[in-house]
Amino acid sequence: MNSLRRGCPAATLPSTWPERTSSTLSEAYYQPSPTAEYDEDSPGGDFDFFSNLVTKWEAAARLPGDSTRQVVVRSGVVLGRGGGAIGHMLLPFRLGLGGPIGSGHQFFPWIHIRDLVGILAHAVEASHVQGVLNGVAPASTTTNAEFAQALGAALGRPAFIPLPSTVVQAVFGRERAIMLLEGQKVVPRRTLASGYQYSFPELGAALKEVVA
């Protein structure tokens, strides 16, 4: 869990009203589903080990009382240069060996690292923001197969060789494999309503910047 805590600027919040912002994983909190759509008010955090872990993280970051403005950002898969999810994918995709994971039909909530940082900064600086924000891109209908095709296109390489679910389970174990093989459609309804303006709302542009 990434946690950012600082005193409030006098121009934004009273000195007696500090703020706390923390980040957890939306892909672990919301239950995988091929049909359900999850926003910040949707239930979750109680169906397996990782969802319960996220619930405990969020509870540990929460301060008692009403004197602190608190924001939790639930992030999707973070796309950025120099590591993270893309770091593990680039080599096989550059070699033309990339493709969808499992069926490829599962939703793939993602966000560019610049937008994740932007949402955290927005949460700290905007005094009206409070509660949960989904740190995912607005293009929430992206499936894993569509993500693989977009990454292949950004690299100028084909991306049609699937990674079988049995291999994913063998490499990552059953619990972690679920996070890759079963996705969820997560929408940033409250994030958008709070006034945050995305730098990379579309997948193609985000991936082109990451692999450039």
Side-chain angles (χ1 to χ4, degrees):
M1 175 181 64
N2 301 316
S3 181
L4 174 62
R5 184 182 180 185
R6 73 178 197 183
C8 307
T12 304
L13 294 174
S15 60
T16 56
W17 194 7
E19 57 202 63
R20 185 178 179 94
T21 304
S22 60
S23 177
T24 57
L25 297 174
S26 67
E27 58 181 326
Y29 182 83
Y30 301 113
Q31 186 165 7
S33 171
T35 57
E37 179 177 285
Y38 299 103
D39 65 16
E40 289 88 347
D41 294 321
S42 299
D46 60 357
F47 60 90
D48 65 5
F49 171 79
F50 285 108
S51 66
N52 279 284
L53 182 60
V54 170
T55 298
K56 291 178 181 178
W57 281 352
E58 293 184 1
R62 192 176 302 117
L63 297 178
D66 299 325
S67 60
T68 301
R69 181 170 64 85
Q70 302 181 61
V71 182
V72 172
V73 178
R74 294 177 183 150
S75 72
V77 177
V78 181
L79 308 181
R81 301 182 185 184
I86 289 291
H88 296 291
M89 299 178 188
L90 278 182
L91 180 59
F93 273 84
R94 287 190 190 280
L95 295 174
L97 301 176
I101 298 175
S103 70
H105 296 152
Q106 67 273 30
F107 288 114
F108 190 81
W110 61 274
I111 188 168
H112 191 284
I113 190 168
R114 190 179 301 173
D115 278 317
L116 180 58
V117 173
I119 291 171
L120 289 169
H122 175 66
V124 170
E125 295 167 359
S127 61
H128 66 282
V129 178
Q130 189 163 340
V132 175
L133 299 179
N134 280 335
V136 297
S140 56
T141 58
T142 302
T143 65
N144 185 271
E146 291 167 343
F147 178 86
Q149 288 296 317
L151 179 55
L155 293 168
R157 307 295 293 171
F160 57 84
I161 301 177
L163 183 62
S165 57
T166 52
V167 174
V168 176
Q169 291 170 344
V171 172
F172 294 99
R174 188 181 66 85
E175 292 278 4
R176 293 182 64 190
I178 289 175
M179 296 175 64
L180 298 172
L181 297 171
E182 301 180 22
Q184 54 280 100
K185 182 180 180 181
V186 182
V187 296
R189 179 185 59 79
R190 190 178 296 159
T191 306
L192 290 168
S194 75
Y196 179 72
Q197 299 291 319
Y198 281 82
S199 298
F200 295 95
E202 299 297 332
L203 180 60
L207 288 173
K208 286 179 181 178
E209 194 281 333
V210 169
V211 304

